[in-house]
Amino acid sequence: MYRHFGEVDAAGVSPLYQHVAVALSESDEALRAIEAAPARKRHPTVILAALHDLALAGRAPELAAAYAAADGDAAAGAAIDTLLRMTDSVVAVAVRRQARTDETGRCAVLYPAVAEAARRVGAKAVGLIDVGCSAGLNLHVDRVGITYGNGQSLGDPSSPVQFSSSIVGDRAVPTRAVPEVVARVGVDRDPVDVTDADDARWLRACLQSDRPEQVARLEAEMALAATDPPLLLQGDAVEVLPAAFARVPADALPVVTTTWALSRFPLESRLRFLHRLDEAAAGRTVAWVSVEGVGVAPTIPTLGDRRASGHSIIGLAVFDQSSLRAEALGVLITSVVDSCGS
C-alpha cells in the first residue's frame, strides 16, 4: 500500500511524499511500527499526516527541517526515525484524527447551484447547512471569488480567496449572485475548528509541504473562515439535521450542501437523510445541493453516466411540503465543470 501510494498516488504530485512513502514501504521496522495503529488508521494519508503534525508542532525538528528544505532523501530518513522513536505519539495522532481534504475550491461548483436554488424559490436570504463539513470552509461560498474558463466570474473579486474552474460544453454558468447568507451551520462527526490552534495545525498537516500553492490557499481559506466562524454541530448528520434547520431563520431558505459526503453513508442512512429533508419541508421550503458520485445521491438523475465513470453529479433538489423537484445541473469531471443544466 505504501509503495503504491509513493509510486502512483504521490508520483508527479509530491516528490517529497513519494520519497517518504517508498522508504517506509522498504523498512520492515517502519512497517511494524505502523502496525501498532488500528487497521483503519494505517493508510499512508493518515500516518504521513500524523508525522507532519508532529513536525509542525515542533516535536520532530529533523523531520520539520527536511520538509522545509523539500529534501526527499533527508525527509525519508527523518520520517522513519521519527516513526520508530515516537511510535506511540504517531499512533495517538492517527487514532484521534481523520485525514482531511478541506478546500473551498468546491465553491466553484457550489456557488452557482446555491444561487440557482434561491432563484427558483424566490429566496432573498439563505441559511447554509454543510453536511460532512469538517472545517466548514464550504460555508463561506459567498465570500470567495471564482473565475471560469469562459471568462465568467462570480462571487467577491476582492476576496483573498480566488479560484478558477474550466467548463466543458456550450452552456454558460448561471450568473445570479448568492443572496444574503444569514446562517452558516456545519454538521460533522468530527468537526474541525479553524480558530483552534491544534485543529488548524492538523489541516496544515494533511497537506504535503512541498506543494506551496496548496499550503498558501489553505492558509487564506482558514483566515477567511476565522473572521466569521460557522456554527459546528457534532454528530451523525441524520440525527443532527433537525437542530441545524432550527438555526436557520424562518424567513430564509435552508440550503443543505453535500460534497462527496454521502458516499461514506450506507444506503439506509442516505435514505434516512432524504427523509430528514422531507420532514423539514413540512413547515418550510428546503433545498439540497449535492456533488456526489454517480448514483450516490438518492433521487438525483445520473444523466446516463455509470458509477465506474469516476464522474460526479451536481444535483439540486427542492422540497416544498409534499412535492419534490430533483434534477442534475451538470457533471463534475475531476476538476472540470461540465455545464449541462439551465
Side-chain angles (χ1 to χ4, degrees), residues 260 263 270 290-298 300-314 328 330-333:
W260 300 286
S263 59
R270 293 181 216 166
S290 60
V291 184
E292 302 286 352
V294 175
V296 172
I300 301 298
T302 62
L303 299 175
D305 276 3
R306 297 175 293 107
R307 288 179 182 269
S309 69
H311 299 167
S312 296
I313 303 295
I314 306 164
V331 175
L332 187 68
I333 307 173

Side-chain angles (χ1 to χ4, degrees), residues 194-214:
V194 297
T195 66
D196 178 86
D198 289 344
D199 282 0
R201 186 181 68 243
W202 175 248
L203 291 182
R204 297 183 182 96
C206 289
L207 293 181
Q208 300 97 330
S209 62
D210 59 343
R211 301 184 69 184
E213 292 117 4
Q214 268 202 341

Side-chain angles (χ1 to χ4, degrees), residues 23-331:
L24 290 174
S25 78
E26 295 174 344
S27 169
D28 291 339
E29 289 182 299
L31 294 177
R32 281 195 294 272
I34 292 169
E35 287 180 349
R40 63 188 178 86
K41 294 292 188 175
R42 296 173 189 168
H43 193 275
T45 56
V46 180
I47 296 298
L48 291 174
L51 287 166
H52 195 189
D53 185 74
L54 294 175
L56 292 174
R59 299 175 61 189
E62 290 186 1
L63 182 59
Y67 276 5
D71 185 332
D73 291 334
I80 292 174
D81 179 65
T82 301
L83 180 59
L84 298 183
R85 286 188 304 103
M86 306 178 69
T87 301
D88 290 347
S89 297
V90 173
V91 170
V93 174
V95 168
R96 185 166 62 94
R97 295 292 195 178
Q98 301 285 339
R100 301 293 185 182
T101 54
D102 297 86
E103 296 184 63
T104 51
R106 303 175 185 190
C107 292
V109 177
L110 291 177
Y111 189 106
V114 171
E116 178 65 10
R119 184 194 70 80
R120 293 191 181 189
V121 302
K124 296 182 179 179
V126 298
L128 299 177
I129 301 172
D130 191 27
V131 172
C133 70
S134 183
L137 301 182
N138 288 341
L139 291 165
H140 297 273
V141 59
D142 58 313
R143 305 179 65 206
V144 305
I146 309 159
T147 302
Y148 297 93
N150 63 357
Q152 288 182 259
S153 61
L154 292 172
D156 182 0
S158 65
S159 172
V161 179
Q162 298 289 324
F163 295 99
S164 60
S165 180
S166 299
I167 300 173
V168 177
D170 58 0
R171 294 182 183 270
V173 172
T175 57
R176 188 178 182 86
V178 170
E180 180 186 8
V181 177
V182 295
R184 306 178 196 271
V185 185
V187 176
D188 197 282
R189 286 188 176 275
D190 183 26
V192 175
D193 181 359
V194 297
T195 66
D196 178 86
D198 289 344
D199 282 0
R201 186 181 68 243
W202 175 248
L203 291 182
R204 297 183 182 96
C206 289
L207 293 181
Q208 300 97 330
S209 62
D210 59 343
R211 301 184 69 184
E213 292 117 4
Q214 268 202 341
V215 174
R217 185 165 73 178
L218 177 64
E219 293 290 351
E221 294 169 0
M222 290 197 297
L224 181 67
T227 62
D228 183 17
L231 172 66
L232 301 177
L233 301 179
Q234 183 173 15
D236 178 85
V238 175
E239 303 304 324
V240 175
L241 266 177
F245 280 118
R247 300 287 184 160
V248 179
D251 58 350
L253 170 69
V255 180
V256 178
T257 58
T258 64
T259 54
W260 300 286
L262 295 187
S263 59
R264 298 192 291 270
F265 292 17
L267 178 59
E268 179 186 359
S269 293
R270 293 181 216 166
L271 296 176
R272 289 174 59 215
F273 166 81
L274 198 67
H275 182 62
R276 284 293 193 210
L277 300 182
D278 192 50
E279 285 181 333
R284 67 198 303 184
T285 301
V286 171
W288 169 35
V289 170
S290 60
V291 184
E292 302 286 352
V294 175
V296 172
T299 78
I300 301 298
T302 62
L303 299 175
D305 276 3
R306 297 175 293 107
R307 288 179 182 269
S309 69
H311 299 167
S312 296
I313 303 295
I314 306 164
L316 171 60
V318 177
F319 299 76
D320 189 0
Q321 295 183 354
S322 60
S323 68
L324 166 62
R325 291 165 288 162
E327 66 180 277
L329 298 179
V331 175

